Every structure is written in structure tokens, then in C-alpha cells.
PDB file of all heavy atoms in Angstrom:
ATOM      1  N   GLU R   1      44.420 144.452 107.235  1.00 97.00           N
ATOM      2  CA  GLU R   1      43.743 145.307 106.222  1.00 97.00           C
ATOM      3  C   GLU R   1      44.904 145.909 105.302  1.00 97.00           C
ATOM      4  O   GLU R   1      44.722 146.031 104.080  1.00 97.00           O
ATOM      5  CB  GLU R   1      43.044 146.410 106.967  1.00 97.00           C
ATOM      6  CG  GLU R   1      41.732 145.892 107.507  1.00 97.00           C
ATOM      7  CD  GLU R   1      40.902 144.986 106.706  1.00 97.00           C
ATOM      8  OE1 GLU R   1      40.689 145.369 105.628  1.00 97.00           O
ATOM      9  OE2 GLU R   1      40.386 143.975 107.130  1.00 97.00           O
ATOM     10  N   ALA R   2      46.060 146.238 105.860  1.00 97.00           N
ATOM     11  CA  ALA R   2      47.174 146.781 105.116  1.00 97.00           C
ATOM     12  C   ALA R   2      47.706 145.708 104.139  1.00 97.00           C
ATOM     13  O   ALA R   2      47.966 145.995 103.038  1.00 97.00           O
ATOM     14  CB  ALA R   2      48.260 147.275 106.018  1.00 97.00           C
ATOM     15  N   TYR R   3      47.731 144.444 104.565  1.00 96.00           N
ATOM     16  CA  TYR R   3      48.166 143.331 103.755  1.00 96.00           C
ATOM     17  C   TYR R   3      47.262 143.102 102.592  1.00 96.00           C
ATOM     18  O   TYR R   3      47.736 143.008 101.500  1.00 96.00           O
ATOM     19  CB  TYR R   3      48.417 142.142 104.664  1.00 96.00           C
ATOM     20  CG  TYR R   3      49.361 141.136 104.071  1.00 96.00           C
ATOM     21  CD1 TYR R   3      50.397 140.720 104.837  1.00 96.00           C
ATOM     22  CD2 TYR R   3      49.288 140.535 102.824  1.00 96.00           C
ATOM     23  CE1 TYR R   3      51.381 139.769 104.357  1.00 96.00           C
ATOM     24  CE2 TYR R   3      50.100 139.632 102.387  1.00 96.00           C
ATOM     25  CZ  TYR R   3      51.266 139.287 103.125  1.00 96.00           C
ATOM     26  OH  TYR R   3      52.122 138.444 102.597  1.00 96.00           O
ATOM     27  N   LEU R   4      45.999 143.179 102.945  1.00 96.00           N
ATOM     28  CA  LEU R   4      44.954 142.930 101.928  1.00 96.00           C
ATOM     29  C   LEU R   4      44.906 144.059 100.859  1.00 96.00           C
ATOM     30  O   LEU R   4      44.795 143.833  99.714  1.00 96.00           O
ATOM     31  CB  LEU R   4      43.507 142.672 102.550  1.00 96.00           C
ATOM     32  CG  LEU R   4      43.370 141.382 103.335  1.00 96.00           C
ATOM     33  CD1 LEU R   4      42.037 141.355 104.130  1.00 96.00           C
ATOM     34  CD2 LEU R   4      43.684 140.136 102.467  1.00 96.00           C
ATOM     35  N   ALA R   5      45.192 145.272 101.334  1.00 95.00           N
ATOM     36  CA  ALA R   5      45.316 146.436 100.390  1.00 95.00           C
ATOM     37  C   ALA R   5      46.445 146.239  99.470  1.00 95.00           C
ATOM     38  O   ALA R   5      46.429 146.495  98.252  1.00 95.00           O
ATOM     39  CB  ALA R   5      45.318 147.699 101.154  1.00 95.00           C
ATOM     40  N   MET R   6      47.529 145.840 100.065  1.00 93.00           N
ATOM     41  CA  MET R   6      48.871 145.578  99.206  1.00 93.00           C
ATOM     42  C   MET R   6      48.375 144.428  98.123  1.00 93.00           C
ATOM     43  O   MET R   6      48.852 144.611  97.037  1.00 93.00           O
ATOM     44  CB  MET R   6      49.932 145.130 100.089  1.00 93.00           C
ATOM     45  CG  MET R   6      51.257 144.831  99.330  1.00 93.00           C
ATOM     46  SD  MET R   6      51.497 143.147  98.700  1.00 93.00           S
ATOM     47  CE  MET R   6      51.473 142.199 100.283  1.00 93.00           C
ATOM     48  N   ALA R   7      47.820 143.356  98.699  1.00 92.00           N
ATOM     49  CA  ALA R   7      47.394 142.281  97.703  1.00 92.00           C
ATOM     50  C   ALA R   7      46.517 142.709  96.659  1.00 92.00           C
ATOM     51  O   ALA R   7      46.710 142.435  95.478  1.00 92.00           O
ATOM     52  CB  ALA R   7      46.812 141.097  98.445  1.00 92.00           C
ATOM     53  N   ARG R   8      45.455 143.546  96.972  1.00 90.00           N
ATOM     54  CA  ARG R   8      44.655 144.036  96.033  1.00 90.00           C
ATOM     55  C   ARG R   8      45.352 144.886  94.957  1.00 90.00           C
ATOM     56  O   ARG R   8      45.097 144.779  93.818  1.00 90.00           O
ATOM     57  CB  ARG R   8      43.510 144.879  96.676  1.00 90.00           C
ATOM     58  CG  ARG R   8      42.439 145.359  95.636  1.00 90.00           C
ATOM     59  CD  ARG R   8      41.612 146.425  96.187  1.00 90.00           C
ATOM     60  NE  ARG R   8      42.460 147.680  96.310  1.00 90.00           N
ATOM     61  CZ  ARG R   8      42.395 148.486  97.338  1.00 90.00           C
ATOM     62  NH1 ARG R   8      41.625 148.222  98.375  1.00 90.00           N
ATOM     63  NH2 ARG R   8      43.215 149.462  97.362  1.00 90.00           N
ATOM     64  N   ASP R   9      46.228 145.727  95.387  1.00 88.00           N
ATOM     65  CA  ASP R   9      46.913 146.676  94.478  1.00 88.00           C
ATOM     66  C   ASP R   9      48.154 145.925  93.887  1.00 88.00           C
ATOM     67  O   ASP R   9      48.516 146.424  92.730  1.00 88.00           O
ATOM     68  CB  ASP R   9      47.341 147.876  95.234  1.00 88.00           C
ATOM     69  CG  ASP R   9      46.147 148.705  95.636  1.00 88.00           C
ATOM     70  OD1 ASP R   9      45.108 148.628  95.175  1.00 88.00           O
ATOM     71  OD2 ASP R   9      46.466 149.481  96.632  1.00 88.00           O
ATOM     72  N   GLY R  10      48.761 144.918  94.412  1.00 83.00           N
ATOM     73  CA  GLY R  10      49.839 144.272  93.880  1.00 83.00           C
ATOM     74  C   GLY R  10      49.459 143.038  93.079  1.00 83.00           C
ATOM     75  O   GLY R  10      50.472 142.455  92.518  1.00 83.00           O
ATOM     76  N   ALA R  11      48.304 142.604  92.922  1.00 85.00           N
ATOM     77  CA  ALA R  11      47.955 141.633  92.069  1.00 85.00           C
ATOM     78  C   ALA R  11      46.628 142.070  91.355  1.00 85.00           C
ATOM     79  O   ALA R  11      45.489 141.425  91.655  1.00 85.00           O
ATOM     80  CB  ALA R  11      47.711 140.318  92.874  1.00 85.00           C
ATOM     81  N   HIS R  12      46.677 143.022  90.527  1.00 87.00           N
ATOM     82  CA  HIS R  12      45.628 143.628  89.910  1.00 87.00           C
ATOM     83  C   HIS R  12      45.169 143.159  88.532  1.00 87.00           C
ATOM     84  O   HIS R  12      45.911 142.134  88.063  1.00 87.00           O
ATOM     85  CB  HIS R  12      45.708 145.170  89.833  1.00 87.00           C
ATOM     86  CG  HIS R  12      46.967 145.700  89.118  1.00 87.00           C
ATOM     87  ND1 HIS R  12      47.173 145.580  87.916  1.00 87.00           N
ATOM     88  CD2 HIS R  12      48.109 146.064  89.775  1.00 87.00           C
ATOM     89  CE1 HIS R  12      48.321 146.055  87.529  1.00 87.00           C
ATOM     90  NE2 HIS R  12      48.951 146.332  88.697  1.00 87.00           N
ATOM     91  N   ALA R  13      44.250 143.729  87.895  1.00 88.00           N
ATOM     92  CA  ALA R  13      43.824 143.070  86.645  1.00 88.00           C
ATOM     93  C   ALA R  13      44.696 143.321  85.435  1.00 88.00           C
ATOM     94  O   ALA R  13      44.528 142.699  84.469  1.00 88.00           O
ATOM     95  CB  ALA R  13      42.407 143.789  86.264  1.00 88.00           C
ATOM     96  N   GLU R  14      45.688 144.136  85.587  1.00 92.00           N
ATOM     97  CA  GLU R  14      46.657 144.327  84.459  1.00 92.00           C
ATOM     98  C   GLU R  14      47.999 143.621  84.871  1.00 92.00           C
ATOM     99  O   GLU R  14      48.967 144.066  84.544  1.00 92.00           O
ATOM    100  CB  GLU R  14      46.978 145.860  84.415  1.00 92.00           C
ATOM    101  CG  GLU R  14      45.758 146.661  83.741  1.00 92.00           C
ATOM    102  CD  GLU R  14      45.497 146.182  82.301  1.00 92.00           C
ATOM    103  OE1 GLU R  14      46.323 145.798  81.505  1.00 92.00           O
ATOM    104  OE2 GLU R  14      44.248 146.057  82.031  1.00 92.00           O
ATOM    105  N   MET R  15      47.769 142.356  85.396  1.00 93.00           N
ATOM    106  CA  MET R  15      48.941 141.534  85.631  1.00 93.00           C
ATOM    107  C   MET R  15      48.677 140.091  85.343  1.00 93.00           C
ATOM    108  O   MET R  15      47.507 139.752  85.419  1.00 93.00           O
ATOM    109  CB  MET R  15      49.277 141.588  87.165  1.00 93.00           C
ATOM    110  CG  MET R  15      49.827 143.070  87.565  1.00 93.00           C
ATOM    111  SD  MET R  15      50.063 143.081  89.334  1.00 93.00           S
ATOM    112  CE  MET R  15      51.744 142.471  89.454  1.00 93.00           C
ATOM    113  N   VAL R  16      49.728 139.380  85.360  1.00 94.00           N
ATOM    114  CA  VAL R  16      49.716 137.915  85.221  1.00 94.00           C
ATOM    115  C   VAL R  16      50.717 137.472  86.323  1.00 94.00           C
ATOM    116  O   VAL R  16      51.874 138.069  86.328  1.00 94.00           O
ATOM    117  CB  VAL R  16      50.066 137.341  83.952  1.00 94.00           C
ATOM    118  CG1 VAL R  16      50.221 135.785  83.954  1.00 94.00           C
ATOM    119  CG2 VAL R  16      49.025 137.552  82.887  1.00 94.00           C
ATOM    120  N   THR R  17      50.300 136.690  87.373  1.00 94.00           N
ATOM    121  CA  THR R  17      51.278 136.362  88.435  1.00 94.00           C
ATOM    122  C   THR R  17      51.157 134.847  88.632  1.00 94.00           C
ATOM    123  O   THR R  17      50.145 134.243  88.420  1.00 94.00           O
ATOM    124  CB  THR R  17      50.999 137.026  89.769  1.00 94.00           C
ATOM    125  OG1 THR R  17      49.772 136.658  90.277  1.00 94.00           O
ATOM    126  CG2 THR R  17      51.030 138.462  89.649  1.00 94.00           C
ATOM    127  N   GLN R  18      52.353 134.245  89.048  1.00 95.00           N
ATOM    128  CA  GLN R  18      52.564 132.883  89.444  1.00 95.00           C
ATOM    129  C   GLN R  18      53.427 132.922  90.640  1.00 95.00           C
ATOM    130  O   GLN R  18      54.701 133.204  90.482  1.00 95.00           O
ATOM    131  CB  GLN R  18      53.043 132.134  88.194  1.00 95.00           C
ATOM    132  CG  GLN R  18      53.203 130.614  88.646  1.00 95.00           C
ATOM    133  CD  GLN R  18      53.905 129.821  87.514  1.00 95.00           C
ATOM    134  OE1 GLN R  18      54.461 130.412  86.557  1.00 95.00           O
ATOM    135  NE2 GLN R  18      53.839 128.495  87.637  1.00 95.00           N
ATOM    136  N   HIS R  19      52.998 132.484  91.652  1.00 96.00           N
ATOM    137  CA  HIS R  19      53.958 132.325  92.958  1.00 96.00           C
ATOM    138  C   HIS R  19      53.896 130.884  93.194  1.00 96.00           C
ATOM    139  O   HIS R  19      52.821 130.315  93.616  1.00 96.00           O
ATOM    140  CB  HIS R  19      53.386 133.187  94.084  1.00 96.00           C
ATOM    141  CG  HIS R  19      53.486 134.612  93.755  1.00 96.00           C
ATOM    142  ND1 HIS R  19      52.559 135.266  93.115  1.00 96.00           N
ATOM    143  CD2 HIS R  19      54.380 135.557  94.070  1.00 96.00           C
ATOM    144  CE1 HIS R  19      52.816 136.545  92.885  1.00 96.00           C
ATOM    145  NE2 HIS R  19      54.033 136.763  93.580  1.00 96.00           N
ATOM    146  N   ASN R  20      55.038 130.212  93.272  1.00 96.00           N
ATOM    147  CA  ASN R  20      55.202 128.883  93.829  1.00 96.00           C
ATOM    148  C   ASN R  20      56.036 128.771  95.095  1.00 96.00           C
ATOM    149  O   ASN R  20      57.079 129.191  95.041  1.00 96.00           O
ATOM    150  CB  ASN R  20      55.893 127.972  92.676  1.00 96.00           C
ATOM    151  CG  ASN R  20      55.048 127.841  91.451  1.00 96.00           C
ATOM    152  OD1 ASN R  20      53.916 127.617  91.469  1.00 96.00           O
ATOM    153  ND2 ASN R  20      55.596 128.144  90.277  1.00 96.00           N
ATOM    154  N   GLY R  21      55.354 128.285  96.089  1.00 96.00           N
ATOM    155  CA  GLY R  21      56.078 127.993  97.282  1.00 96.00           C
ATOM    156  C   GLY R  21      56.342 126.503  97.449  1.00 96.00           C
ATOM    157  O   GLY R  21      55.385 125.716  97.368  1.00 96.00           O
ATOM    158  N   HIS R  22      57.667 126.217  97.722  1.00 96.00           N
ATOM    159  CA  HIS R  22      57.909 124.699  97.835  1.00 96.00           C
ATOM    160  C   HIS R  22      59.084 124.497  98.813  1.00 96.00           C
ATOM    161  O   HIS R  22      59.600 125.437  99.463  1.00 96.00           O
ATOM    162  CB  HIS R  22      58.268 124.142  96.480  1.00 96.00           C
ATOM    163  CG  HIS R  22      59.297 124.965  95.756  1.00 96.00           C
ATOM    164  ND1 HIS R  22      60.608 124.720  95.712  1.00 96.00           N
ATOM    165  CD2 HIS R  22      59.016 126.023  94.929  1.00 96.00           C
ATOM    166  CE1 HIS R  22      61.158 125.601  94.926  1.00 96.00           C
ATOM    167  NE2 HIS R  22      60.207 126.402  94.353  1.00 96.00           N
ATOM    168  N   HIS R  23      59.483 123.285  99.060  1.00 97.00           N
ATOM    169  CA  HIS R  23      60.497 122.860 100.017  1.00 97.00           C
ATOM    170  C   HIS R  23      60.244 123.376 101.425  1.00 97.00           C
ATOM    171  O   HIS R  23      61.118 123.925 101.868  1.00 97.00           O
ATOM    172  CB  HIS R  23      61.769 123.240  99.481  1.00 97.00           C
ATOM    173  CG  HIS R  23      62.155 122.589  98.230  1.00 97.00           C
ATOM    174  ND1 HIS R  23      61.995 123.191  97.068  1.00 97.00           N
ATOM    175  CD2 HIS R  23      62.709 121.480  97.931  1.00 97.00           C
ATOM    176  CE1 HIS R  23      62.443 122.409  96.080  1.00 97.00           C
ATOM    177  NE2 HIS R  23      62.774 121.367  96.633  1.00 97.00           N
ATOM    178  N   PRO R  24      58.976 123.281 101.948  1.00 98.00           N
ATOM    179  CA  PRO R  24      58.736 123.799 103.319  1.00 98.00           C
ATOM    180  C   PRO R  24      59.611 123.092 104.340  1.00 98.00           C
ATOM    181  O   PRO R  24      59.851 121.929 104.395  1.00 98.00           O
ATOM    182  CB  PRO R  24      57.288 123.476 103.530  1.00 98.00           C
ATOM    183  CG  PRO R  24      57.045 122.368 102.744  1.00 98.00           C
ATOM    184  CD  PRO R  24      57.872 122.498 101.487  1.00 98.00           C
ATOM    185  N   GLU R  25      60.102 124.011 105.232  1.00 98.00           N
ATOM    186  CA  GLU R  25      60.810 123.467 106.439  1.00 98.00           C
ATOM    187  C   GLU R  25      59.819 124.080 107.626  1.00 98.00           C
ATOM    188  O   GLU R  25      60.122 125.190 108.042  1.00 98.00           O
ATOM    189  CB  GLU R  25      62.225 124.020 106.497  1.00 98.00           C
ATOM    190  CG  GLU R  25      63.097 123.657 105.421  1.00 98.00           C
ATOM    191  CD  GLU R  25      64.442 124.338 105.393  1.00 98.00           C
ATOM    192  OE1 GLU R  25      65.057 124.411 106.432  1.00 98.00           O
ATOM    193  OE2 GLU R  25      64.816 124.936 104.353  1.00 98.00           O
ATOM    194  N   ILE R  26      59.124 123.263 108.203  1.00 98.00           N
ATOM    195  CA  ILE R  26      58.156 123.654 109.260  1.00 98.00           C
ATOM    196  C   ILE R  26      58.605 123.002 110.605  1.00 98.00           C
ATOM    197  O   ILE R  26      58.763 121.916 110.681  1.00 98.00           O
ATOM    198  CB  ILE R  26      56.779 123.260 108.898  1.00 98.00           C
ATOM    199  CG1 ILE R  26      56.397 123.974 107.585  1.00 98.00           C
ATOM    200  CG2 ILE R  26      55.797 123.634 110.020  1.00 98.00           C
ATOM    201  CD1 ILE R  26      55.099 123.475 106.932  1.00 98.00           C
ATOM    202  N   ASP R  27      58.659 123.962 111.575  1.00 98.00           N
ATOM    203  CA  ASP R  27      58.960 123.544 112.925  1.00 98.00           C
ATOM    204  C   ASP R  27      57.798 123.825 113.808  1.00 98.00           C
ATOM    205  O   ASP R  27      57.520 125.083 114.019  1.00 98.00           O
ATOM    206  CB  ASP R  27      60.227 124.239 113.435  1.00 98.00           C
ATOM    207  CG  ASP R  27      61.458 123.640 112.780  1.00 98.00           C
ATOM    208  OD1 ASP R  27      61.596 122.531 112.608  1.00 98.00           O
ATOM    209  OD2 ASP R  27      62.297 124.549 112.340  1.00 98.00           O
ATOM    210  N   VAL R  28      57.191 122.788 114.416  1.00 98.00           N
ATOM    211  CA  VAL R  28      56.046 123.111 115.395  1.00 98.00           C
ATOM    212  C   VAL R  28      56.781 123.235 116.773  1.00 98.00           C
ATOM    213  O   VAL R  28      57.421 122.485 117.257  1.00 98.00           O
ATOM    214  CB  VAL R  28      55.084 121.923 115.464  1.00 98.00           C
ATOM    215  CG1 VAL R  28      54.085 122.083 116.416  1.00 98.00           C
ATOM    216  CG2 VAL R  28      54.398 121.761 114.018  1.00 98.00           C
ATOM    217  N   LEU R  29      56.578 124.566 117.250  1.00 98.00           N
ATOM    218  CA  LEU R  29      57.255 124.920 118.592  1.00 98.00           C
ATOM    219  C   LEU R  29      56.457 124.653 119.725  1.00 98.00           C
ATOM    220  O   LEU R  29      56.929 124.544 120.788  1.00 98.00           O
ATOM    221  CB  LEU R  29      57.654 126.454 118.510  1.00 98.00           C
ATOM    222  CG  LEU R  29      58.440 126.797 117.338  1.00 98.00           C
ATOM    223  CD1 LEU R  29      58.639 128.380 117.281  1.00 98.00           C
ATOM    224  CD2 LEU R  29      59.730 125.965 117.217  1.00 98.00           C
ATOM    225  N   GLY R  30      55.106 124.406 119.559  1.00 95.00           N
ATOM    226  CA  GLY R  30      54.223 124.158 120.745  1.00 95.00           C
ATOM    227  C   GLY R  30      52.856 123.974 120.079  1.00 95.00           C
ATOM    228  O   GLY R  30      52.658 123.819 118.908  1.00 95.00           O
ATOM    229  N   GLU R  31      51.858 123.750 120.982  1.00 94.00           N
ATOM    230  CA  GLU R  31      50.531 123.491 120.528  1.00 94.00           C
ATOM    231  C   GLU R  31      49.938 124.603 119.605  1.00 94.00           C
ATOM    232  O   GLU R  31      48.992 124.260 118.792  1.00 94.00           O
ATOM    233  CB  GLU R  31      49.614 123.282 121.812  1.00 94.00           C
ATOM    234  CG  GLU R  31      49.831 121.882 122.428  1.00 94.00           C
ATOM    235  CD  GLU R  31      48.900 121.688 123.585  1.00 94.00           C
ATOM    236  OE1 GLU R  31      47.780 122.298 123.555  1.00 94.00           O
ATOM    237  OE2 GLU R  31      49.107 120.913 124.537  1.00 94.00           O
ATOM    238  N   SER R  32      50.425 125.799 119.718  1.00 97.00           N
ATOM    239  CA  SER R  32      49.720 126.870 118.991  1.00 97.00           C
ATOM    240  C   SER R  32      50.862 127.774 118.384  1.00 97.00           C
ATOM    241  O   SER R  32      50.520 129.005 118.008  1.00 97.00           O
ATOM    242  CB  SER R  32      48.820 127.600 119.827  1.00 97.00           C
ATOM    243  OG  SER R  32      49.569 128.257 120.917  1.00 97.00           O
TER     244      SER R  32
END
């Protein structure tokens, strides 16, 4: 809920945002 409140207030109607995530380095440590 705290994260979603931050996202709501941090990406509001008076903004333009672009977030690009790339070059993932993912390690699967176990089944979950």
C-alpha cells in the first residue's frame, strides 16, 4: 500500500515519465 501510494503521487497527471529497464542479470536461486 505504501508503494502504491508513492507510485500514485510520484507518477501523477502533471508529469511525463519514461522508465526503461534493460540488461537484466537474473539469478534463479531456487524454485521460488
Side-chain angles (χ1 to χ4, degrees):
E1 293 309 314
Y3 206 121
L4 293 173
M6 179 275 299
R8 184 195 69 227
D9 296 338
H12 54 74
E14 289 299 319
M15 296 179 82
V16 172
T17 64
Q18 178 186 14
H19 293 84
N20 294 310
H22 48 90
H23 297 94
E25 300 172 48
I26 298 169
D27 292 311
V28 177
L29 306 175
E31 288 184 20
S32 62

